[in-house]
Amino acid sequence: MSPSSSSSPTIAAGTVPSERPTSSRSKAPALHFNSPSSPPPPSSSPSLSSIPSPAFLRTPAASFSARRKPVHPLSVENIPRQTILKALASSRPSLSIAANLADAMSPTTTYVLHDGDDDAEEQQFSDCVEHVFSPPPMTAKYLGPSIQSPCFYHQRFDNAVNVERVLEEIAGDEYTSHSRLVQTALGVREVARQLQRRTCRMNVKNVMIVTKARDNQLVTLTRELAQWLMKTPRYGNNYGVNVYVDKKLRDSKRFNAPALFEEEPRFRAQLNYWTPDLCWSSPETFDLVLTLGGDGTVLFTSWLFQRVVPPILSFSLGSLGFLTGFKFELYKEHLNKVLNDGMRVNMRMRFTCTVYREENGQMNEGDQFEVLNELVIDRGPSPYVSNLELYGDDDLLTVVQADGCIFSTPTGSTAYSLSAGGSLVHPDIPAILLTPICPHTLSFRPMLLNDSMLLRVSVPKNSRATAWCAFDGKGRVELKQGDHVTIAASQYPFPTVLSAPTEWIDSVSRTLRWNTRAAQQKAWDGDSALGAEGNEKVEEWDIDTDSACYSDGEDGAGSPLRRQMSLLGFT
């Protein structure tokens, strides 16, 4: 979405259309805000049509601290507009975006719009954003049901998380560079620590199944799993949970939905179909997501949910399984335990990567992606070595001269980064992994950076070639001279259900055979025959020792040094 567009976007029917065409490969999901299950806004709140004008949405991306000090257009304090729109859609899932904006623009506030006054519009936009993003006061009685949790993690975990402690962790941050993103990193870190120590019990009603629709074997397993989920009684009812499968399976002969309806008519109300638009607009619809496949299916699930992500339980049906810790053969046992007894969740860190284009001397915001594994920037088809400027919090860190570089999350440390020489990093460690690809200087080694740092990778204007970005292996985008991409800790982590406390170590040992080797040569066990008295025969060795000591004659206590000294006549 280009902030410099002359036409203001309209907000109607729950969507914000994109202001510029994008290619099918790099097109971000449409921004849908009003979910079908969301209640209408209160009658006392003014509708969007009663708001004077949505002009505050067409001003350049404003900083959260814009009222405190002016910033440069290229400053890291400019929060990407798509990040703001995502947060507006996720800050209060129980209310529609219209109610949020109407509340922010209500007459009770001091925001006044002066037509034709750009400064007033920018001031109003900053005030609106600050109003929506301000953390609630740290008092338990103020934490109502609609704002119990910060917007960067799923509100279904409220019962298992001490919200006051999370707010204490992020309360000390002042309005410095990208302060809200720093709060996100600290808050998600504290939430992850609490969730791993506690069992989250949720009344699961809607289960989403993600698999490869073109794989016939997986379609058969999906049908088996969906049928079992719908017919197995749960929570005191004589029926099971609602199931969402890929819309591509609606007319699949192998899935054969009509046969399920003939077997049990109530399945018509329980079987539903998901689409990428539904995953974006209403992620709160799903209480649990099941993936059937390998790590690629898990990455595809992360690609579907570019905002809030429901808990993910991954069954292993692929060749590798760093993220798939559950065996599908035992799916009944695993799901009964999770649905009845609860689950432990690991909040895996994601990156928010935003592309900026230089047009007529101004930087316009381009596509934005939530990345679970890594962002790869390489030279593409160019024969020249990449020349990239790496900034951290607006300070130049280094100039990358290599075939490319990998910015990986701890989850992605076992992927491309590991192949390029990066280290294995536990997903509980909050860090950004920087791994160069075939660097020009041998001293440019992999390193770990602070997760609260905002990175910016720019292609200099005097660069001989462009660069190419790949986000989790998808959405390949070209960076031309003058363009840049930012990497920051996402406010929407990726919650995965833990199969065991040592899940990550087990997955590394299983897939990489980490620190395993063939058995050492066994020592000779001697003669197994028994002695005359029935006792084991004492072993007799031809050579008394394998050490470096040798007998020098009578005493038998010689050593190489004493023997050498005796030969020289010193002893």
Side-chain angles (χ1 to χ4, degrees), residues 198-235:
R198 303 181 183 180
T199 299
C200 304
R201 296 183 179 180
M202 298 186 298
N203 188 7
V204 177
K205 297 181 179 179
N206 301 317
V207 177
M208 174 182 176
I209 303 178
V210 181
T211 187
K212 296 179 181 178
R214 65 178 182 273
D215 193 317
N216 293 331
Q217 180 182 3
L218 294 181
V219 170
T220 303
L221 297 179
T222 301
R223 187 182 190 276
E224 174 187 347
L225 178 59
Q227 184 180 13
W228 180 81
L229 286 171
M230 290 187 293
K231 73 178 183 180
T232 305
R234 299 287 178 189
Y235 311 115

Side-chain angles (χ1 to χ4, degrees), residues 22-28 303 367 369 468 473-477:
T22 56
S23 63
S24 58
R25 296 186 62 183
S26 61
K27 184 177 180 180
W303 189 260
D367 298 319
F369 305 93
W468 289 80
K474 302 180 180 64
R476 193 163 174 84
V477 175

Side-chain angles (χ1 to χ4, degrees), residues 34-39 278 281-282 285:
N34 291 336
S35 61
S37 60
S38 300
L278 180 62
S281 61
S282 304
T285 302

Side-chain angles (χ1 to χ4, degrees), residues 60 63 223 270 302 321 374 423 523 563:
S63 168
R223 187 182 190 276
Q270 291 182 262
S302 174
E374 75 273 313
S423 176
R563 183 175 181 84

Side-chain angles (χ1 to χ4, degrees), residues 79-395:
I79 304 299
R81 174 159 308 233
Q82 295 179 62
T83 301
I84 296 176
L85 293 177
K86 288 180 182 179
L88 285 170
S90 303
S91 59
R92 296 175 178 86
S94 60
L95 300 178
S96 63
I97 185 63
N100 285 333
L101 294 179
D103 178 67
M105 300 291 295
S106 62
T108 58
T109 61
T110 58
Y111 316 144
V112 180
L113 178 64
H114 301 280
D115 294 335
D117 191 345
D118 294 338
D119 294 337
E121 291 179 0
E122 184 173 356
Q123 176 76 17
Q124 188 176 20
F125 177 79
S126 177
D127 291 340
C128 176
V129 170
E130 188 120 10
H131 174 79
V132 175
F133 277 82
S134 296
M138 292 186 300
T139 57
K141 61 181 180 180
Y142 184 82
L143 297 175
S146 63
I147 54 175
Q148 274 192 333
S149 306
C151 66
F152 48 75
Y153 71 93
H154 209 285
Q155 294 195 356
R156 289 189 176 91
F157 299 142
D158 281 343
N159 295 332
V161 176
N162 186 346
V163 180
E164 291 188 10
R165 181 167 180 180
V166 176
L167 296 177
E168 289 175 0
E169 289 289 331
I170 66 178
D173 180 60
E174 299 296 336
Y175 284 88
T176 56
S177 62
H178 67 286
S179 61
R180 298 303 177 184
L181 298 179
V182 174
Q183 290 185 0
T184 294
L186 296 177
V188 170
R189 186 184 310 167
E190 177 60 28
V191 169
R193 284 198 295 262
Q194 295 190 30
L195 288 179
Q196 287 185 2
R197 294 191 297 263
R198 303 181 183 180
T199 299
C200 304
R201 296 183 179 180
M202 298 186 298
N203 188 7
V204 177
K205 297 181 179 179
N206 301 317
V207 177
M208 174 182 176
I209 303 178
V210 181
T211 187
K212 296 179 181 178
R214 65 178 182 273
D215 193 317
N216 293 331
Q217 180 182 3
L218 294 181
V219 170
T220 303
L221 297 179
T222 301
R223 187 182 190 276
E224 174 187 347
L225 178 59
Q227 184 180 13
W228 180 81
L229 286 171
M230 290 187 293
K231 73 178 183 180
T232 305
R234 299 287 178 189
Y235 311 115
N237 301 321
N238 59 353
Y239 54 87
V241 299
N242 300 325
V243 176
Y244 286 77
V245 298
D246 196 339
K247 188 178 180 180
K248 298 177 182 178
L249 301 179
R250 180 191 294 271
D251 300 324
S252 172
K253 295 181 180 179
R254 188 171 297 274
F255 187 78
N256 198 4
L260 291 176
F261 301 152
E262 292 179 2
E263 176 185 351
E264 187 61 53
R266 70 165 183 254
F267 286 171
R268 291 183 178 273
Q270 291 182 262
L271 184 61
N272 303 276
Y273 301 94
W274 60 262
T275 61
D277 287 340
L278 180 62
C279 296
W280 166 258
S281 61
S282 304
E284 298 85 3
T285 302
F286 313 109
D287 300 312
L288 182 66
V289 178
L290 308 179
T291 66
L292 307 183
D295 290 346
T297 306
V298 180
L299 292 177
F300 175 70
T301 305
S302 174
W303 189 260
L304 288 175
F305 293 94
Q306 290 288 302
R307 196 162 51 92
V308 176
V309 186
I312 309 295
L313 192 152
S314 303
F315 289 107
S316 177
L317 288 170
S319 57
L320 288 178
F322 290 102
L323 300 175
T324 54
F326 294 88
K327 295 182 179 180
F328 183 78
E329 295 80 7
L330 304 175
Y331 73 87
K332 295 181 180 180
E333 176 183 347
H334 292 318
L335 290 178
N336 284 332
K337 182 177 180 180
V338 168
L339 297 180
N340 297 332
D341 301 335
M343 67 189 80
R344 290 193 176 184
V345 179
N346 180 20
M347 306 290 281
R348 293 180 178 266
M349 175 184 179
R350 291 202 296 180
F351 289 159
T352 298
C353 303
T354 310
V355 178
Y356 290 86
R357 305 288 188 184
E358 183 184 22
E359 298 177 3
N360 300 325
Q362 295 183 353
M363 300 305 300
N364 296 327
E365 182 182 335
D367 298 319
Q368 185 178 91
F369 305 93
E370 301 293 323
V371 173
L372 177 61
N373 256 7
E374 75 273 313
L375 163 65
V376 179
I377 306 177
D378 57 59
R379 63 181 182 176
S382 173
Y384 302 110
V385 175
S386 296
N387 186 24
L388 306 171
E389 295 177 348
L390 175 61
Y391 294 86
D393 291 338
D394 241 7
D395 297 324

Side-chain angles (χ1 to χ4, degrees), residues 396-457:
L396 180 63
L397 301 182
T398 186
V399 177
V400 178
Q401 290 183 327
D403 284 350
C405 55
I406 304 169
F407 298 91
S408 172
T409 65
T411 299
S413 64
T414 54
Y416 195 176
S417 175
L418 182 64
S419 299
S423 176
L424 293 173
V425 180
H426 196 279
D428 292 347
I429 299 177
I432 301 176
L433 286 72
L434 170 59
T435 307
I437 305 175
C438 300
H440 183 66
T441 57
L442 297 180
S443 60
F444 189 17
R445 310 309 300 164
M447 62 187 306
L448 274 69
L449 302 175
N450 193 346
D451 67 327
S452 63
M453 181 180 294
L454 179 62
L455 300 178
R456 187 176 82 236
V457 183

